[in-house]
Amino acid sequence: MYDYSNFDADFVHSRVAEFRGQVERRLDGSLTEDEFKPLRLMNGLYLQLHAYMLRIAVPYGTLKSRQMRQLAYIADTWDKGYGHFTTRQNIQFNWPKLKDVPDILEALADVEMHAIQTSGNCIRNVTADHFAGAAADEIEDPRPTAELIRQWSTDHPEFAYLPRKFKVAVTGSPNDRAVTKAHDIGLRMVRNEAGEPGYEVVIGGGLGRTPMIGKVVRDFLPKADLLAYLEAILQVYNLSGRRDNKYKARIKILVHETGLEELREQIEANFERQSRLLPDVDPAIVARIEASFAEPEWDTREAPAPVLEAGLKSFVDTNVTAHKQPNYAIVSVSIKPIGGTPGDATSAQMRALADLAEKYSHDELRISHEQNVILPHVHRADIPAVYAALREAGLATANIGLVSDIIACPGMDYCALATARSIPIAQQISEVFSDLDAQRDIGPLKIKISGCINACGHHHVGHIGILGLDRAGVENYQITLGGDGTETATIGERTGHGFAYDEIVPAVERLIETYLEIRETAEETFLQTYRRTGADPFKTALYGEENKANAA
Ligand code: SF4
């Protein structure tokens, strides 16, 4: 894992000192809120519905135990004893007092963390596969690439005021767990015919008001050309991205309006120039970064033959994934207990996870874009002990990838932009399907909920997506079906008119009942069934045979 150099540490601490002065001037009235706003946003501090919200970056979702413990300390000392993990591998604190924020940032800087570039029209936290460095299907660990991009993009003077925020995701596996095709730039590690590793470069993906799946702008980019190529893309976007209309400012609109071919020519021409100006990525820097992600010293114990009691077996079936080391496993810890708030972890749970990582996972933790926490390197012999400790901490819900493992944005419970509540909908759905055996019978199913059109809950790529809107002062929920956030990424299709707050959960139940009735085998997933049958039977379930034609 990456450790700060002295330069990094000095830089982050000096940013905290600078912000402390700005906060003092805001508190004594010498800065107005309008003057203060751009300064606080540069440090990840938002003003939400009820209070300030501080968004902290977890670069590529990777945390050490002491960092997780510091987050728990912050939650207890300056917030309400919990934090909220988001779909971009950040953590948000919802109740900090302005006067305390510099102290929180200082506490973060002490453990090599910060909130820089978690807001504003700049390159945001670079995200990556949450199984990076552990996955059995991995071509290469994507985190050194993500770290290189982080170092290049942090405070990059040319890209501090882009037309709009800019999100980059990296995956090192053919199975895309980083939703790369819904990012401004998605990098997918591939090998060329000579077997050399490089990147497939995807641009112009994004959800929100105009959801789009990214398009491949380069089939194969040698690793040494990465930064020159990123500069080329960003320069074209910075110059030509629309600044006249916030809703049309993302690179996806530029791709759409200019056309991929034309844009590719501009990027390639720019890249030609850039690669003469910029040297290849410095191998010494890459080597230093790669060394910081060196594999842990694997425990060579043989994994015992599994003797699994029922609860543990269910947990292993749903929450445990193959590791590249056969004696190891990846353990996904659900932060979605039945009836809980998706992504919320208490300080006690954070500490329990930190302890487990230290004892059983080579001191590593990951935050997934699905708002869960991963113990990436657990020896199979230790799984029963990990499971027992998770049960004790209330973290052993065996629902990863199932109907109650719901992504939900904060919605109207916290967010100033929300048009409807998301969290109570997620809680009600998980309570309706609280029986884990029934959930396992339903099988893999991704429900994703957003409280407004900005789509932080990724509803467009949910197998069942739910978008909360405001219709004349009343909450209304639109359903999309067939969305997919993986390597076969698809934007879900709108089914028809929306549902009232008290109608939406029964509507979801009808969709799932229909799926159970029409699936061909118990192995056919919801998404496979939807792709086979199309929307028709599901629309009948939602609107009735006679009304479905008029549902739009
Ligand atoms: S989708 Fe809308 S309501 Fe939800 S967190 Fe994003 S901006 Fe807020």
Side-chain angles (χ1 to χ4, degrees):
M1 295 167 69
Y2 181 76
D3 291 313
Y4 275 16
S5 66
N6 288 343
F7 174 86
D8 300 323
D10 289 348
F11 170 74
V12 175
H13 280 287
S14 65
R15 271 291 286 262
V16 176
E18 180 186 69
F19 189 54
R20 188 180 293 281
Q22 292 161 354
V23 168
E24 280 164 10
R25 279 182 279 144
R26 175 72 192 108
L27 289 170
D28 72 17
S30 43
L31 282 179
T32 64
E33 175 53 27
D34 279 354
E35 289 165 333
F36 181 57
K37 184 177 175 185
L39 305 174
R40 66 171 162 76
L41 289 177
M42 285 170 75
N43 292 282
L45 188 63
Y46 287 74
L47 195 51
Q48 291 289 46
L49 269 185
H50 314 290
Y52 285 99
M53 179 271 278
L54 181 66
R55 179 180 297 150
I56 296 157
V58 181
Y60 30 89
T62 298
L63 281 174
K64 300 173 195 179
S65 298
R66 70 189 178 99
Q67 292 173 318
M68 187 65 116
R69 275 196 200 101
Q70 194 77 328
L71 294 175
Y73 173 77
I74 289 168
D76 281 341
T77 311
W78 295 293
D79 209 89
K80 291 193 177 181
Y82 70 96
H84 175 75
F85 292 113
T86 77
T87 50
R88 294 213 73 255
Q89 297 179 316
N90 297 302
I91 182 168
Q92 296 180 174
F93 287 109
N94 285 313
W95 305 100
K97 294 198 175 54
L98 179 56
K99 70 174 178 49
D100 294 332
V101 173
D103 290 339
I104 299 176
L105 294 177
E106 193 76 55
L108 289 170
D110 287 344
V111 293
E112 304 183 342
M113 294 182 77
H114 60 71
I116 297 166
Q117 288 188 200
T118 58
S119 177
N121 293 335
C122 53
I123 300 170
R124 298 287 187 87
N125 186 35
V126 179
T127 56
D129 182 355
H130 43 263
F131 291 169
D137 59 4
E138 190 167 86
I139 293 169
E140 245 186 57
D141 187 342
R143 288 174 305 161
T145 294
E147 173 58 27
L148 185 67
I149 298 171
R150 188 189 74 81
Q151 293 189 14
W152 160 78
S153 65
T154 301
D155 263 12
H156 192 310
E158 192 176 343
F159 305 135
Y161 296 99
L162 292 167
R164 202 70 181 90
K165 59 188 167 183
F166 202 90
K167 300 176 180 176
V168 182
V170 195
T171 177
S173 297
N175 298 304
D176 184 358
R177 289 174 287 263
V179 210
T180 56
K181 291 185 177 174
H183 281 74
D184 297 287
I185 295 180
L187 295 170
R188 297 156 48 78
M189 301 191 84
V190 289
R191 287 188 191 278
N192 65 8
E193 281 172 10
E196 295 152 344
Y199 309 99
E200 179 192 77
V201 184
V202 175
I203 60 168
L207 303 178
R209 188 173 294 257
T210 318
M212 289 188 187
I213 297 301
K215 298 183 170 71
V216 177
V217 68
R218 196 40 128 82
D219 291 325
F220 184 80
L221 180 73
K223 288 177 79 175
D225 291 337
L226 178 66
L227 297 186
Y229 202 78
L230 293 183
E231 293 253 356
I233 296 172
L234 264 296
Q235 283 174 350
V236 168
Y237 170 58
N238 207 11
L239 199 63
S240 308
R242 288 183 57 173
R243 292 173 191 269
D244 60 324
N245 182 341
K246 174 179 172 185
Y247 302 114
K248 299 196 169 180
R250 299 289 290 269
I251 193 173
K252 62 187 174 185
I253 304 295
L254 184 63
V255 174
H256 182 68
E257 289 185 347
T258 312
L260 182 67
E261 291 311 316
E262 160 72 21
L263 211 60
R264 180 185 285 127
E265 277 175 30
Q266 291 179 22
I267 291 168
E268 290 290 337
N270 222 17
F271 171 61
E272 279 295 307
R273 277 194 304 277
Q274 277 308 324
S275 49
R276 283 197 297 273
L277 292 170
L278 281 174
D280 285 355
V281 174
D282 183 346
I285 292 177
V286 173
R288 188 162 62 84
I289 292 174
E290 281 178 350
S292 63
F293 290 96
E295 290 186 355
E297 207 166 300
W298 302 116
D299 178 344
T300 53
R301 270 178 300 163
E302 282 290 310
V307 185
L308 304 179
E309 48 90 10
L312 178 54
K313 183 172 182 324
S314 300
F315 181 81
V316 169
D317 285 346
T318 47
N319 294 35
V320 172
T321 310
H323 193 282
K324 63 184 178 186
Q325 290 286 323
N327 286 340
Y328 275 76
I330 302 167
V331 174
S332 296
V333 181
S334 170
I335 310 293
K336 320 278 181 62
I338 300 300
T341 301
D344 274 9
T346 65
S347 54
Q349 290 174 331
M350 290 185 220
R351 284 196 190 92
L353 287 163
D355 291 348
L356 281 173
E358 209 160 57
K359 198 161 172 194
Y360 297 113
S361 185
H362 294 276
D363 200 23
E364 277 193 44
L365 294 146
R366 307 286 168 73
I367 311 304
S368 79
H369 80 269
E370 294 179 316
Q371 301 176 293
N372 292 315
V373 177
I374 316 295
L375 297 166
H377 310 301
V378 178
H379 195 286
R380 286 187 176 273
D382 296 328
I383 289 177
V386 169
Y387 174 67
L390 287 173
R391 277 186 66 156
E392 201 151 306
L395 287 167
T397 313
N399 66 346
I400 295 290
L402 302 179
V403 56
S404 66
D405 182 12
I406 299 168
I407 289 184
C409 80
M412 213 183 266
D413 287 85
Y414 298 102
C415 180
L417 302 174
T419 44
R421 286 170 288 174
S422 321
I423 292 169
I425 303 294
Q427 289 169 325
Q428 288 168 40
I429 294 172
S430 88
E431 271 160 5
V432 165
F433 296 99
S434 59
D435 183 74
L436 284 175
D437 288 332
Q439 290 196 42
R440 269 187 283 278
D441 181 36
I442 295 166
L445 176 54
K446 294 192 186 293
I447 298 182
K448 307 192 182 196
I449 309 172
S450 303
C452 82
I453 198 136
N454 288 325
C456 302
H458 292 184
H459 66 275
H460 295 293
V461 290
H463 303 164
I464 298 175
I466 300 173
L467 165 63
L469 294 169
D470 176 296
R471 289 269 181 265
V474 178
E475 287 163 302
N476 186 273
Y477 294 87
Q478 248 174 31
I479 293 180
T480 50
L481 292 176
D484 172 10
T486 69
E487 61 285 354
T488 45
T490 314
I491 300 293
E493 296 168 82
R494 235 190 90 187
T495 53
H497 67 69
F499 293 86
Y501 181 81
D502 56 356
E503 293 171 346
I504 182 66
V505 179
V508 170
E509 281 182 84
R510 293 202 296 283
L511 288 172
I512 293 172
E513 280 160 16
T514 301
Y515 154 67
L516 291 172
E517 280 162 22
I518 65 175
R519 66 182 176 183
E520 285 191 327
T521 65
E523 281 68 47
E524 189 181 56
T525 64
F526 182 94
L527 187 60
Q528 288 165 342
T529 303
Y530 180 82
R531 285 178 172 166
R532 175 175 56 79
T533 65
D536 206 49
F538 296 97
K539 282 190 178 175
T540 303
L542 290 176
Y543 304 109
E545 186 62 50
E546 58 289 357
N547 294 326
K548 69 182 176 191
N550 304 322

